[in-house]
Amino acid sequence: MKAINLLFSLAIIMGIAYYFYRKLPKFNEQEKAPDFVSYTPSGDSIRLSDLRGNIILLDFWGSWCGPCRQENRKIVPLYDKYKNAQFKQAEKFIVLNVGLEKSKERWLAAIKKDNLYWKYHVSGLKRMRDPVAKLYGVNEIPTKYLIDEKGVIRGVNMSFKEINKYLAAQLQ
């Protein structure tokens, strides 16, 4: 009986560990951000490497995701604060939203409603099966990657206080 209880306990612990491991993003700080191509609402392509030279907040979100919509209220003032900033090495601060969506109409309505007025929005309209989300190992949203001007990941799921601190340290 003790052996069965021990095996059962180990199975539960392994299941919990796997659950949390599976939710971790695929890449970590100091790793090169993998390049990708995705498409804007108008069908134009955006390649991550085309934005090199800028500090990029790569934000995975969904119009259907309550916590994502809450975070949008923090991203907008962060963008407002740094969109015209002069950085030591980076040209500018860019937010690149990856919408994990099925409906283009809902996606565009959420962008408008949340006042995500910058130009970098992409989606494969495949929800969690989006190729960019799969590439980055995104299993839950919101997920954020902060990428420096050289294309190196500087933070994964940082708090807005940490992102602000990083950006402030990069100012001239």
Side-chain angles (χ1 to χ4, degrees):
M1 191 64 168
K2 285 184 182 182
I4 291 173
N5 285 340
L6 179 62
L7 286 174
F8 182 70
S9 296
L10 283 172
I12 289 176
I13 290 168
M14 289 175 64
I16 291 170
Y18 175 75
Y19 173 78
F20 284 105
Y21 170 77
R22 194 179 76 78
K23 287 188 166 256
L24 293 174
K26 195 172 185 177
F27 298 97
N28 297 307
E29 290 179 26
Q30 307 306 318
E31 290 186 88
K32 194 79 160 174
D35 199 14
F36 63 83
V37 175
S38 193
Y39 299 91
T40 67
S42 64
D44 296 326
S45 65
I46 294 178
R47 180 178 294 277
L48 180 65
S49 59
D50 290 344
L51 302 176
R52 188 125 329 125
N54 300 295
I55 299 171
I56 301 164
L57 181 62
L58 181 61
D59 177 47
F60 294 87
W61 75 294
S63 63
W64 47 272
C65 168
C68 300
R69 303 295 293 275
Q70 292 286 335
E71 281 206 351
N72 285 346
R73 295 182 193 155
K74 296 176 183 174
I75 292 174
V76 172
L78 182 76
Y79 180 73
D80 286 341
K81 182 175 181 178
Y82 291 104
K83 68 181 177 187
N84 295 318
Q86 300 293 314
F87 295 99
K88 295 173 193 168
Q89 296 179 359
E91 193 174 318
K92 12 181 205 180
F93 173 60
I94 292 174
V95 177
L96 172 54
N97 291 110
V98 179
L100 304 184
E101 304 289 338
K102 282 185 185 176
S103 166
K104 183 177 179 179
E105 293 74 28
R106 285 188 64 188
W107 176 42
L108 294 176
I111 290 169
K112 184 176 182 177
K113 183 173 184 181
D114 293 358
N115 195 29
L116 309 180
Y117 63 90
W118 43 88
K119 67 180 183 176
Y120 298 107
H121 297 274
V122 296
S123 180
L125 297 174
K126 294 181 179 180
R127 211 155 192 179
M128 297 303 283
R129 293 186 331 265
D130 184 283
V132 180
K134 289 174 85 173
L135 175 66
Y136 276 78
V138 174
N139 293 305
E140 69 177 7
I141 54 175
T143 293
K144 299 181 297 300
Y145 283 87
L146 187 63
I147 303 169
D148 74 11
E149 67 281 352
K150 295 176 184 165
V152 175
I153 297 169
R154 292 298 173 184
V156 181
N157 289 331
M158 298 167 76
S159 70
F160 284 95
K161 185 176 181 179
E162 292 170 318
I163 295 169
N164 188 59
K165 184 177 176 182
Y166 176 85
L167 291 171
Q170 304 309 307
L171 294 173
Q172 285 187 346

